[in-house]
Amino acid sequence: MELRPVIDVKNLHFSYKKHQVLAGVDLKLYKGEIISLLGPNGCGKSTLIRLILKLLRGNGEILINNKDIEKYSHKEIASRIAYIPQYNNTPFNYSVMEMVLMGRVSKLDYFASPSAHDFEIAKNALKKVGVEHLKEKAFGQLSGGQKQMVLLARAIAQEVDTFIMDEPVAGLDYGNQIRLLELIHELSKQGYTFLKTTHYPDHALLISSRVIVMNDGKIIANGTPDKVITKEMIQDVYSIKADIIVHDSHKRCIPIFQKNILNKGF
Amino acid sequence: MSKQTKYLLYGTTLLIVVAFLSLLWGQYHIDVATFIEYLQYKFVGNANMDASTFSLIDNIILEIRLPRVLLAILIGASLATSGAVFQAMFVNPLVSPGILGVLAGASFGAACGMLISNHWIVVQTLAFIFGFIAVGFAITIGSMVTNSRSTVMLVLGGVISGSLFTSLLSVIKYVADPYSTLPAIVYWLMGSLSMAQLHEVLLAAIPISFSLFGMVFMSKYFDLLSLGDEEAKALGVNVTLVRIIAILLATLASSLSVVMAGIIGWVGLIIPHIVRMAVGPAHRLLIPLSAIIGAAFLLLADAISRLALSVEIPIGILTSLIGIPIFIIVLKNARAAWN
């Protein structure tokens, strides 16, 4: 039996005011994968995830569980895919618990309020990402790393197994970046599927099962991290030099300054 | 008992106490003992009270105070709830039915209605339609300059929309009969609960309760909408539908309040802020509690308007006088309340 993709994007085009953002993108996301979507600013990766979430409409075909996205309501998409946006503040400062409960809305009837069962699920989701102690805190007062964890807990409370993340480590301090990557890896082992955009080839090497590279609205590379993340690709896409080294039998990507300014003193 | 049930219970108790006192307070003061005797006479029939006192009290309570108390509850709840809903819909803590021009639009519509027909359904329908046009106009202006949702631009759009309909209302006043229609419009606009008739109040209670309960039932979506449209959609909300229905319901409730009692400002702005400061921003609690506290606030304001001076102060003037200092305090604490 052939494995069916959770998300299947076929020949997707999208233009914003005559400016072509996506020029024929194909992407398949299979259960259990962690796909890292790499590419420079403006390459169309954020647009692509917005199209997959039906936040934008493009030309082409997007299938979710083998059914056309046009046949899904937002509620139906939300009960299959969770979106973890980059955190930002709202004028109304909800508690962490309220924030996580919002992930339950797609599961509730139209006029129903969250029940004790929903509270329990929200609490367990917070526990799963290790921030249960924050549940009474106000979301706005949390650090960037904590906010990202809470949004991840909200996605878990949505009770879906496919997560789409938009630059999850953006704005996080060094330690929180690594802790978040570890958590994503841990959740992936528990059966969650991830599609995430990132600006860090090294992060893609660390935790992806597959890397897709976009440039100018097209996919230019798609494969295992080892094969895709090469000096040549970094040069092509970002116009900088990088070295791929092996550390602890794992490939890592480190950037190199164009001019040899290191170790020259100041 | 959950936090939510607890607060709603406290709020309801407060409202019942204030409503009960409002039935007793007035130019003719009824004390609690007399009220209990009155109830005994009315329902049990033993005569500790003479028939003429009974009929006087019966008349005061049923004909004068009860309609007024019910009307104050309906209108206070309408204004505060629709204020909270507008603030959620536009993710803007500075808007209210008054600031968005809804009250001005509805008053213009209602005045048009009074001019062309005396039938209540014409007046109410026109008030609602123009209330909706006014908020639509405010949104259009608010989004003209910037595409993004700008807090200040929407307030400015509302100010413009409000003054447009106030000007149009002046035209109606100018052409209205100076001996009958004009004074009626002027006194009505100052805001008063004194004209309340029981059957009219009960009639208005139907659409008002409909919109109040509608807003309460939708409240869990308001949390998500305040995160921004994209996030709300990704969490499974039909953003456009929720926003349209919520704005229609909030406009209906606040427009009908104008028809029933004129322009009563500030309630829709300050009550949601006070409630939010007390219990947090989650709308499942904020919306119903705003309704309860708004009702209690307007009952108290009405009691003051009846009792403070020997003549009755129009309640619209009073809510402004109370609302302005409260809002200044709210603005000072704005960061704490919003962030």
Side-chain angles (χ1 to χ4, degrees):
Chain A
M1 192 185 83
E2 200 198 342
L3 199 62
R4 275 204 313 230
V6 186
I7 295 169
D8 192 354
V9 177
K10 292 172 183 169
N11 195 23
L12 189 62
H13 288 75
F14 180 81
S15 298
Y16 180 72
K17 288 181 182 168
K18 287 187 180 166
H19 169 68
Q20 189 158 46
V21 186
L22 294 182
V25 168
D26 294 86
L27 179 150
K28 285 178 166 57
L29 175 70
Y30 293 96
K31 194 165 168 30
E33 284 193 296
I34 304 180
I35 292 187
S36 288
L37 203 53
L38 275 171
N41 286 328
C43 71
K45 54 186 189 305
S46 294
T47 305
L48 176 59
I49 63 173
R50 277 176 177 75
L51 284 158
I52 293 173
L53 291 159
K54 210 183 175 184
L55 302 177
L56 294 171
R57 299 279 173 91
N59 292 315
E61 205 180 2
I62 301 173
L63 305 176
I64 294 172
N65 294 340
N66 223 22
K67 195 170 112 184
D68 194 317
I69 194 168
E70 291 300 322
K71 296 194 180 117
Y72 286 98
S73 66
H74 286 296
K75 190 170 169 151
E76 287 163 341
I77 293 177
S79 47
R80 286 163 181 81
I81 301 174
Y83 173 50
I84 296 130
Q86 289 178 39
Y87 64 88
N88 52 22
N89 282 330
T90 66
F92 306 126
N93 198 0
Y94 300 105
S95 73
V96 165
M97 194 61 185
E98 290 294 342
M99 206 67 183
V100 178
L101 276 174
M102 290 187 208
R104 298 296 303 158
V105 163
S106 60
K107 289 273 182 286
L108 297 176
D109 287 337
Y110 287 109
F111 292 136
S113 280
S115 63
H117 174 65
D118 297 303
F119 275 85
E120 196 57 33
I121 287 171
K123 217 169 78 183
N124 288 336
L126 283 166
K127 201 184 277 171
K128 206 164 190 170
V129 298
V131 292
E132 201 199 356
H133 60 286
L134 298 176
K135 69 175 198 279
E136 302 294 331
K137 289 252 163 58
F139 185 74
Q141 265 77 52
L142 303 183
S143 73
Q146 291 171 328
K147 283 179 185 165
Q148 204 67 53
M149 292 298 178
V150 171
L151 294 183
L152 197 54
R154 186 178 72 186
I156 291 169
Q158 238 170 295
E159 290 188 313
V160 299
D161 51 17
T162 306
F163 290 177
I164 294 185
M165 305 180 91
D166 193 7
E167 289 173 30
V169 300
L172 301 195
D173 71 35
Y174 199 57
N176 281 327
Q177 292 192 1
I178 301 305
R179 276 187 282 275
L180 184 61
L181 294 179
E182 283 173 343
L183 182 61
I184 292 172
H185 188 251
E186 178 59 37
L187 290 171
S188 149
K189 281 198 295 189
Q190 294 173 23
Y192 291 98
T193 306
F194 288 87
L195 171 63
K196 64 181 185 71
T197 66
T198 180
H199 280 306
Y200 300 97
D202 192 43
H203 293 177
L205 277 171
L206 278 171
I207 61 160
S208 321
S209 58
R210 192 146 60 96
V211 176
I212 292 176
V213 185
M214 288 181 71
N215 204 359
D216 282 334
K218 290 195 191 79
I219 287 179
I220 56 165
N222 179 355
T224 58
D226 287 10
K227 288 215 177 77
V228 170
I229 297 173
T230 59
K231 288 180 190 181
E232 295 74 26
M233 186 279 283
I234 303 283
Q235 177 70 47
D236 277 0
V237 174
Y238 297 102
S239 310
I240 60 157
K241 290 193 171 58
D243 246 344
I244 310 296
I245 60 165
V246 177
H247 173 261
D248 201 10
S249 75
H250 208 96
K251 282 195 180 176
R252 305 295 297 265
C253 175
I254 49 170
I256 300 168
F257 278 125
Q258 308 287 78
K259 293 174 187 139
N260 192 11
I261 55 172
L262 288 179
N263 304 321
K264 285 277 153 56
F266 284 92
Chain B
M1 191 162 51
S2 75
K3 176 189 146 197
Q4 183 167 0
T5 328
K6 200 173 69 184
Y7 279 117
L8 289 176
L9 210 63
Y10 291 161
T12 313
T13 313
L14 174 75
L15 177 59
I16 290 171
V17 170
V18 175
F20 177 69
L21 291 177
S22 294
L23 283 178
L24 305 186
W25 287 340
Q27 297 289 7
Y28 182 94
H29 186 78
I30 302 167
D31 57 44
V32 179
T34 319
F35 185 72
I36 291 168
E37 279 166 19
Y38 159 75
L39 286 182
Q40 273 178 348
Y41 190 101
K42 191 163 177 74
F43 293 108
V44 188
N46 63 352
N48 231 339
M49 179 182 262
D50 62 78
S52 69
T53 319
F54 170 76
S55 73
L56 176 68
I57 293 177
D58 196 47
N59 191 37
I60 288 175
I61 287 183
L62 286 188
E63 296 296 318
I64 299 168
R65 291 191 190 155
L66 184 64
R68 195 166 175 152
V69 163
L70 290 178
L71 187 61
I73 290 174
L74 282 179
I75 287 174
S78 293
L79 290 169
T81 311
S82 41
V85 169
F86 280 129
Q87 289 172 6
M89 284 308 100
F90 299 114
V91 202
N92 189 336
L94 290 180
V95 298
S96 70
I99 286 179
L100 285 170
V102 180
L103 301 187
S107 62
F108 169 73
C112 283
M114 289 178 184
L115 214 58
I116 59 173
S117 158
N118 250 335
H119 200 284
W120 61 272
I121 201 148
V122 177
V123 179
Q124 292 197 352
T125 310
L126 281 176
F128 172 57
I129 290 171
F130 280 97
F132 194 67
I133 292 175
V135 66
F137 190 60
I139 299 168
T140 313
I141 296 173
S143 56
M144 227 156 46
V145 180
T146 46
N147 279 327
S148 60
R149 265 195 245 119
S150 154
T151 309
V152 178
M153 276 310 296
L154 184 62
V155 172
L156 207 56
V159 169
I160 294 169
S161 174
S163 70
L164 169 72
F165 284 101
T166 312
S167 311
L168 292 175
L169 184 66
S170 299
V171 176
I172 302 241
K173 285 185 195 161
Y174 193 73
V175 298
D177 182 342
Y179 297 103
S180 60
T181 322
L182 179 61
I185 292 177
V186 169
Y187 283 119
W188 157 67
L189 281 178
M190 277 183 200
S192 172
L193 301 170
S194 59
M195 311 298 260
Q197 301 284 323
L198 193 58
H199 69 277
E200 283 178 7
V201 174
L202 294 178
L203 213 55
I206 297 166
I208 288 179
S209 317
F210 168 78
S211 68
L212 286 177
F213 281 109
M215 289 187 278
V216 169
F217 280 129
M218 290 174 79
S219 57
K220 72 168 180 288
Y221 296 113
F222 302 158
D223 291 344
L224 287 98
L225 256 66
S226 72
L227 302 176
D229 288 9
E230 277 204 344
E231 217 169 316
K233 281 181 192 166
L235 287 164
V237 180
N238 187 337
V239 170
T240 318
L241 188 68
V242 168
R243 182 164 287 138
I244 289 175
I245 294 177
I247 291 176
L248 281 172
L249 291 176
T251 307
L252 179 64
S254 40
S255 300
L256 292 182
S257 84
V258 172
V259 176
M260 297 304 290
I263 293 186
I264 298 177
W266 294 91
V267 180
L269 189 62
I270 56 167
I271 299 299
H273 278 285
I274 292 171
V275 176
R276 205 178 285 120
M277 278 202 271
V279 302
H283 290 88
R284 283 197 320 281
L285 181 56
L286 178 67
I287 299 291
L289 199 59
S290 290
I292 292 168
I293 301 299
F297 173 80
L298 205 64
L299 274 174
L300 274 178
D302 186 49
I304 296 171
S305 90
R306 282 185 285 151
L307 296 170
L309 301 176
S310 56
V311 290
E312 193 176 315
I313 313 165
I315 191 159
I317 296 171
L318 202 72
T319 56
S320 299
L321 291 178
I322 302 171
I324 291 166
I326 293 180
F327 193 62
I328 291 171
I329 297 167
V330 166
L331 276 181
K332 264 191 79 176
N333 296 328
R335 286 193 64 85
W338 306 337
N339 289 315

